[in-house]
Amino acid sequence: MAAAAVPPRGIRRLCRVLLFLSQFYILSGGDQDLHTPGERVSLIVGSLNLEHSQPLAQAVKDPGPTRTFTVIPGAAAFLSWLTESTDIPPYVMKCPSNGLCSRLPADCIECRTNYSCVYGKPVTFDCTVKPSVTCVDQDFKSQKNFAINMTCRFCWQLPESDYECTNNTSCMTVSCPRQRYHANCTVRDHIHCLGNRTFPKMLYCNWTGGYKWSTALALSITLGGFGADRFYLGQWREGLGKLFSFGGLGIWTLIDVLLIGVGYVGPADGSLYI
């Protein structure tokens, strides 16, 4: 009868195993009142020590005070919010601060223009700086209203040096008649004119692929009988014809020297000589 009795040490081990399993169930989601890692560590330590089981059970029943967390926005979100709140117009980046009002770019001012002025004659218009733009007069005093002097003409009537246009590298510059292309032109910042500052215009094809007229002429004179001038200009079919015909027995070579010399024969891509 005494042999069948369970020793006290075995009972203690069994209690420890049962307590450990119960605490593992709590940690795995059985009790949602424990939120901090420190409380979970205390449960594991208590499960291995039977003497601390009673205070541990009491700690499990007490959820503790309610915690409130404040989320701080990130730096990117803060900068985005700051930019939207200030609401700085995009044209301010083009406007120099505390510069002369008469030298401000056209995007920084608003003028009361008169389209009935005489073309080509000097005219004076009253202008006002746009919001968020600061400028001064000749005495370095801040001002908002000022007068500007300009020539009465529309923006598309300006000389070519006063505006910039898009380029087209697909048209033929060496052709008869000379080809044109549609371009969008924009007036330079410090040029004042009437009408839209961006306008379409028909321009002559005027681009270069890097070919030199002097190099082409030199090759035509020295190695034209082997088609070197045609190969240099990208006309490989004509170059092969001259190579296998020995420059057309010299006649083709002389003709190419004259044509390249007067600029009639140019690069195969249609560009101009440098």
Side-chain angles (χ1 to χ4, degrees):
M1 193 71 180
V6 180
R9 182 177 299 179
I11 296 177
R12 183 176 298 179
R13 290 181 179 177
L14 181 61
C15 292
R16 289 183 179 180
V17 171
L18 293 177
L19 183 60
F20 177 81
L21 292 178
S22 64
Q23 302 306 327
F24 179 78
Y25 170 74
I26 295 174
L27 292 176
S28 62
D31 190 353
Q32 301 297 332
D33 292 334
L34 298 179
H35 299 284
T36 62
E39 293 172 339
R40 294 182 180 179
V41 172
S42 64
L43 288 178
I44 297 175
V45 175
S47 63
L48 300 178
N49 192 347
L50 185 61
E51 287 78 8
H52 299 283
S53 60
Q54 183 65 23
L56 181 61
Q58 185 177 2
V60 171
K61 294 181 181 180
D62 187 9
T66 304
R67 295 173 177 85
T68 303
F69 298 93
T70 302
V71 179
I72 301 177
F78 176 76
L79 291 177
S80 177
W81 171 82
L82 183 61
T83 304
E84 294 178 357
S85 62
T86 54
D87 194 16
I88 300 177
Y91 58 81
V92 176
M93 302 300 296
K94 298 182 179 180
C95 307
S97 179
N98 296 324
L100 292 177
C101 296
S102 58
R103 296 185 180 180
L104 285 175
D107 294 337
C108 305
I109 60 177
E110 295 179 350
C111 299
R112 292 188 291 272
T113 57
N114 184 6
Y115 291 92
S116 61
C117 59
V118 180
Y119 172 75
K121 298 294 184 180
V123 64
T124 302
F125 294 132
D126 295 329
C127 302
T128 304
V129 295
K130 291 184 177 180
S132 303
V133 178
T134 58
C135 62
V136 296
D137 57 6
Q138 297 293 340
D139 298 330
F140 299 100
K141 296 181 180 179
S142 178
Q143 65 175 171
K144 294 293 184 181
N145 302 318
F146 61 98
I148 190 171
N149 299 320
M150 57 180 291
T151 303
C152 180
R153 57 188 172 187
F154 288 95
C155 294
W156 59 270
Q157 296 173 324
L158 292 171
E160 295 183 359
S161 59
D162 291 341
Y163 55 83
E164 297 178 348
C165 300
T166 57
N167 294 324
N168 190 336
T169 58
S170 61
C171 60
M172 300 290 292
T173 58
V174 182
S175 62
C176 186
R178 191 176 178 184
Q179 292 185 2
R180 294 172 177 260
Y181 70 96
H182 294 275
N184 292 324
C185 303
T186 304
V187 181
R188 300 184 186 274
D189 291 339
H190 295 277
I191 303 298
H192 300 280
C193 55
L194 301 177
N196 295 328
R197 300 185 60 82
T198 301
F199 53 90
K201 197 168 187 178
M202 292 289 295
L203 299 178
Y204 283 111
C205 295
N206 186 20
W207 65 283
T208 178
Y211 297 95
K212 292 184 178 181
W213 173 81
S214 59
T215 303
L217 183 60
L219 290 174
S220 181
I221 296 173
T222 57
L223 300 175
F226 301 99
D229 51 350
R230 293 285 184 166
F231 285 123
Y232 172 72
L233 297 175
Q235 303 174 6
W236 59 272
R237 294 184 180 88
E238 292 81 355
L240 291 175
K242 293 181 69 175
L243 177 62
F244 291 109
S245 66
F246 299 102
L249 300 178
I251 299 175
W252 195 350
T253 302
L254 294 176
I255 294 175
D256 274 355
V257 171
L258 295 176
L259 294 179
I260 293 176
V262 299
Y264 184 81
V265 174
D269 58 4
S271 62
L272 293 175
Y273 288 114
I274 297 178

